[in-house]
Each structure stands twice: as structure tokens, then as C-alpha cells.
Amino acid sequence: MVRKLPQDRLTVALPKGRLFDQVISIFASAGIIENLIKQDSRKLILQVDKFNFLLVRAKDVPVYVEYGVADIGVAGDDLLFETKPDVYIPVDLGVGACTIMVAGLPEDRDKYFSNPTSLKVATKYPNIARDFFGKKGVKVQIIELYGSIELAPLVGLADFIVDIVETGRTLRENGLVVLEEISPSSAKLIVNRASYKTRREEVMPLIEKLENTLVKG
């Protein structure tokens, strides 16, 4: 039996963790919800006010929104650049600010800037890395990793890494340096294309409240 969420509520896909709390705080400040919502590690669906909130992995948010399970969601530019989902992106929420960067060992700086024809790059963002180096005319062998990316140059698995950096502390503690910035990244409100049209009377006021609150903030 196919189970569907109540259609009288907008469904919102939000990433678990710190970004969830930041987004909920913005929603409350904007008057979209009446009270702050606390995460519950056991509950994946929270029905609050006029919303179904889905608590999912950050990487999965664009999938839920693109396929229409969620009407709206919040995802970082890093994931949007990587997966290129077919969604509307009407609002920059201004939280979750990071930078997508190329990093490596200090002694490999000259190698990186010597116009190499090929490199080995470890990353959890293969499409971003391939696009970035492709525009530079550099052929890259992508090694996909999903944890401890910084380890790759230290043990010779890769020449360099492409990763998202917030403070740079992890890089510094592992003796790595930023070599080049690819793009800034922050959390964006994303909207399913069908919902943007069919539920416009619900979606547009939400967008306007967010925009007004963020301008004032």
C-alpha cells in the first residue's frame, strides 16, 4: 500500500543537524511557524502547524524536492552544484556558509600551479571537481571518498582534494593548505517545479516572508 503525506500541509524536506536548527529559527522569525521545533532522532516526519517536516540526510533533500515528495526544502550550493536538480531556487537563506575549495600539502603548491595536464583528486563532489578542472583543461582521475577526505594527500591516495571548508581548522590540523577557491556555498530554499505552480498560494507567501525577514536581518 502506498502511503502519502497529508495533502492539506506543505511538505518541507530539511537536513538533520545544525542546519535544521538554523532554518527552523529563520522560519520562526519569519512567522512561518509559531514555535521552534526540536529534532528527534527517532522521528523522521514532524507534523507542525501547516507543515509536514521531513528530516533527511542533507544529500537527499534535493531528491525529495525534485521528485515531488516534498514541496520545498533547504540545500547547500555544494549539493545543488553537484547534483543539478531540476528545482526552483528562489531564496538564499544566508546560513551554512562555506567555500568549496581545492586543498593539498604545502610542498605540492608548485605542482598544482605548474599547469599540469592530469591530477588525482579525492572528493565527495566528483561532478564539481570534474567541471572545475575540465574548464582549466586539466584531466582528473577522481577518487570518491565520503569521510576523512583530508587523509588522501597525506597517504598518497590523491594529489589534492576538493572539499567544502567552513573554518579551515581541519585542513590546518592535518597540515593542508587551501590552493584555490572554487565557489562559495550557502543554504538555499528550493521548490519543486510543480508545487511552485499548483500550490502557489501557499508557496509564494512563505517565500515573501523569508525574503522580508532576511532583508531586515
Side-chain angles (χ1 to χ4, degrees), residues 77-152:
D77 284 313
D78 56 322
L79 294 173
L80 299 177
F81 294 158
E82 177 63 24
T83 61
K84 296 181 174 64
D86 185 19
V87 296
Y88 285 116
I89 309 173
V91 183
D92 184 343
L93 297 176
V95 293
C98 298
T99 306
I100 307 168
M101 297 180 174
V102 182
L105 292 164
E107 56 265 34
D108 289 333
R109 186 187 299 271
D110 290 343
K111 178 180 180 179
Y112 182 79
F113 290 107
S114 65
N115 297 318
T117 57
S118 64
L119 293 171
K120 278 198 301 184
V121 177
T123 184
K124 59 184 175 183
Y125 302 109
N127 293 325
I128 291 176
R130 196 173 288 112
D131 290 348
F132 176 73
F133 286 104
K135 291 176 182 177
K136 295 163 70 74
V138 179
K139 184 179 180 181
V140 287
Q141 178 185 347
I142 301 293
I143 300 171
E144 291 189 47
L145 296 175
Y146 294 96
S148 303
I149 308 292
E150 297 82 6
L151 184 61

